Amino acid sequence: MPASEGKTSHDAAIADYREYVTTSFVAAVEPVVVARAEGATVWDIDGAEYLDCFAGISVVNAGHRHPKVIAAAKAQLDQVVHAATYIYHVPVVGEAAKELARITPGKLQKTFFGNSGAEGIETALRLAKAYTGKSEIISLTHSFHGRTNATLAITGNKARKTRGGPYPSGVAFAPAPYVYRNPFNTDDPEVVAERCAEMVEWAINYQTSGDVAAFIAEPVMGEGGILVPPASYFRRVKEVLDAYGILFIADEVQSGFGRTGKLFGIEHFGVEPDIMVLAKGIADGFPLSATIARAEIADSLKPGEHLSTFGGNPVSCAAAIANIQVMEEEQLPEQAARKGERLIDQIWEMQSEFPLIGDVRGLGLMIGVELVTDRKSKTPASKQAARIRAYCREQGVLIGVGGQQGNVLRLQPPLVIDDAGLDRAVDVLTGALREVSS
Ligand SMILES: Cc1ncc(COP(=O)(O)O)c(C=O)c1O
């Protein structure tokens, strides 16, 4: 008998998940059983309305079911849904790749399409190794790059890696440019940038055999707790990489597609990556990843060496093209920049009332609020963060939580959210902070 029999549809959905869906995450949060979504609004199966300030983990940047994206996907459904892109050519796939070459920085030109961020990162690692003939990778502490074996190997956070090891070797870690918590006893961002860039060189010299293919980093670190590197960090790191002939892979899975107030997060930092990985916001919710590289790097994989059956799905590619058009027409990166600045100011203003707020940081609508039980010791207030997320959900606002200790509130709404929506999020957040502070 199905678990759902004789139950309300809400309870039935939860029962089916508990019994038949392999997922470790829903155990940690009270699930919302979603029936429909539009823009920045989600309705559950009983009609309750939620303001979505997490965008399906930073995916629906153009809003849930943007009409132009949906129309493009529906039109493609009537043409062809699957043709195995690497055997047959479908025009829309080539067009999507051409669009990515147009909008990404520098000489990034050729795209390998996959289906998830992790698959995109795996491809980037393989490309870097094939092109350089070298084998080791430098990554950052606090990073997150996915849940496959190789992407967990380069993830710098034990909270994500438990019970999966040992992971592939040949990975070294340098400290994240995490200004609020840094091992250099300074609160000067530029000193953190300088020291952390020196530590990349240190990692090359003392943790590897010198056979380093690539350095990989998220331009703004998401799961690690919304960590924004100081302005000069990537320029300084790039100097080190160039001196050692090491490629730079930008993991834009979470920071891409307007999220940070520019189309791509790395554009804030004045350097050009050799390989860039895109997923999440690329097609406004349709599954797709893109690993885009300079042509000579992309061409280092020989025919047949790398392939993904579903990679470059025509419906997802049609959605991606429409999504890019929407980003440009509606100036979503600019909207994110303006709305994010206002939101960060509003949250900073709350700091004087709530000692729980240790730090507020972000770029565009990728915002983190780090909670601490005591501003001096900076002890992570993880339980309070979980309670605030639950309170917000009860009040109809969905937010995320991140950071290794789960003490960073994450506000990453669809970029189309309006000012009234953001004001409501601030009101509910204020109520939540009051509740857990009392
Ligand atoms: C920066 C970053 N890289 C890679 C991934 C993995 O993406 P996916 O879950 O689509 O495999 C994520 C997912 O959260 C991410 O935030």
Side-chain angles (χ1 to χ4, degrees):
M1 184 173 83
S4 50
E5 221 155 270
K7 300 197 171 79
T8 66
S9 44
H10 174 271
D11 291 347
I14 289 181
D16 283 347
Y17 260 68
R18 294 242 158 91
E19 219 158 311
Y20 300 112
V21 181
T22 302
T23 165
S24 59
F25 191 68
V26 285
V29 292
E30 177 63 24
V32 174
V33 180
V34 178
R36 197 164 69 83
E38 192 172 311
T41 308
V42 169
W43 290 271
D44 81 2
I45 205 161
D46 299 316
E49 189 175 307
Y50 293 89
L51 177 69
D52 186 359
C53 287
F54 203 30
I57 322 187
S58 202
V59 169
V60 287
N61 292 0
H64 287 280
R65 293 172 51 245
H66 190 288
K68 287 193 175 164
V69 177
I70 296 298
K74 280 184 175 165
Q76 185 58 44
L77 281 173
D78 288 333
Q79 304 298 318
V80 56
V81 171
H82 172 79
T85 292
Y86 294 94
I87 300 177
Y88 309 103
H89 285 9
V90 187
V92 74
V93 180
E95 285 161 26
K98 195 171 170 185
E99 277 294 86
L100 291 175
R102 178 178 70 79
I103 64 170
T104 49
K107 298 196 187 93
L108 297 175
Q109 186 187 330
K110 285 193 168 180
T111 289
F112 177 89
F113 285 115
N115 304 283
S116 69
E119 194 186 359
I121 300 288
E122 292 264 2
T123 300
L125 299 179
R126 189 156 184 203
L127 262 185
K129 291 178 188 179
Y131 177 70
T132 60
K134 298 191 270 184
S135 65
E136 290 168 278
I137 304 291
I138 309 275
S139 185
L140 294 178
T141 63
H142 300 80
S143 61
F144 179 69
H145 298 291
R147 308 244 188 195
T148 58
N149 211 29
T151 56
L152 281 172
I154 58 166
T155 285
N157 180 354
K158 78 169 183 194
R160 297 285 189 271
K161 298 172 82 155
T162 47
R163 302 200 301 147
Y167 294 103
S169 57
V171 184
F173 289 92
Y178 186 175
V179 180
Y180 183 66
R181 293 179 195 274
N182 70 77
F184 310 111
N185 201 23
T186 177
D187 52 14
D188 181 343
E190 285 311 307
V191 174
V192 173
E194 193 182 337
R195 292 285 106 81
C196 285
E198 284 168 5
M199 291 303 282
V200 170
E201 185 161 19
W202 177 85
I204 296 165
N205 286 324
Y206 298 106
Q207 285 194 57
T208 75
S209 66
D211 192 45
V212 181
F215 164 82
I216 183 165
E218 303 156 73
V220 176
M221 301 171 84
E223 303 302 305
I226 315 292
L227 310 181
V228 184
S232 70
Y233 172 71
F234 282 111
R235 276 200 308 274
R236 292 174 189 272
V237 170
K238 192 72 171 64
E239 281 170 17
V240 175
L241 302 182
D242 289 346
Y244 287 81
I246 294 171
L247 299 182
F248 172 31
I249 303 171
D251 177 350
E252 292 267 9
V253 169
Q254 192 161 151
S255 55
F257 287 93
R259 172 62 51 198
T260 66
K262 291 192 186 286
L263 208 38
F264 300 103
I266 199 64
E267 291 173 307
H268 292 278
F269 298 98
V271 298
E272 287 175 11
D274 301 293
I275 303 174
M276 186 187 260
V277 184
L278 307 164
K280 286 190 185 287
I282 187 172
D284 201 31
F286 287 85
L288 186 70
S289 68
T291 304
I292 185 164
R294 297 204 320 262
E296 68 269 27
I297 296 174
D299 288 342
S300 62
L301 284 178
K302 301 284 169 273
E305 266 184 2
H306 198 60
L307 187 144
S308 175
T309 298
F310 287 124
N313 174 268
V315 180
S316 294
C317 285
I321 294 169
N323 184 49
I324 290 167
Q325 200 185 341
V326 168
M327 293 260 148
E328 292 179 336
E329 278 173 8
E330 300 185 17
Q331 301 187 319
L332 292 185
E334 292 80 358
Q335 285 201 45
R338 181 186 65 73
K339 292 169 186 173
E341 224 166 90
R342 183 169 167 272
L343 185 56
I344 285 188
D345 284 351
Q346 284 171 306
I347 300 172
W348 267 123
E349 275 168 27
M350 291 152 69
Q351 219 206 12
S352 53
E353 189 185 343
F354 301 109
L356 205 52
I357 299 180
D359 192 25
V360 184
R361 52 188 180 247
L363 276 177
L365 284 172
M366 189 166 181
I367 295 173
V369 184
E370 177 150 1
L371 304 182
V372 291
T373 55
D374 167 41
R375 281 188 189 157
K376 252 209 153 96
S377 69
K378 298 186 180 174
T379 305
S382 315
K383 283 196 182 116
Q384 290 86 339
R387 280 174 59 201
I388 286 173
R389 174 169 59 181
Y391 177 99
C392 289
R393 181 194 177 288
E394 280 157 25
Q395 301 297 316
V397 175
L398 305 177
I399 64 167
V401 163
Q404 206 221 17
Q405 305 290 328
N407 67 316
V408 181
L409 306 176
R410 287 163 67 191
L411 298 168
Q412 298 174 263
L415 313 182
V416 295
I417 192 169
D418 60 16
D419 287 347
L422 289 172
D423 289 345
R424 183 161 159 245
V426 168
D427 284 349
V428 169
L429 191 56
T430 307
L433 283 157
R434 239 171 237 147
E435 174 85 6
V436 301
S437 302
S438 60

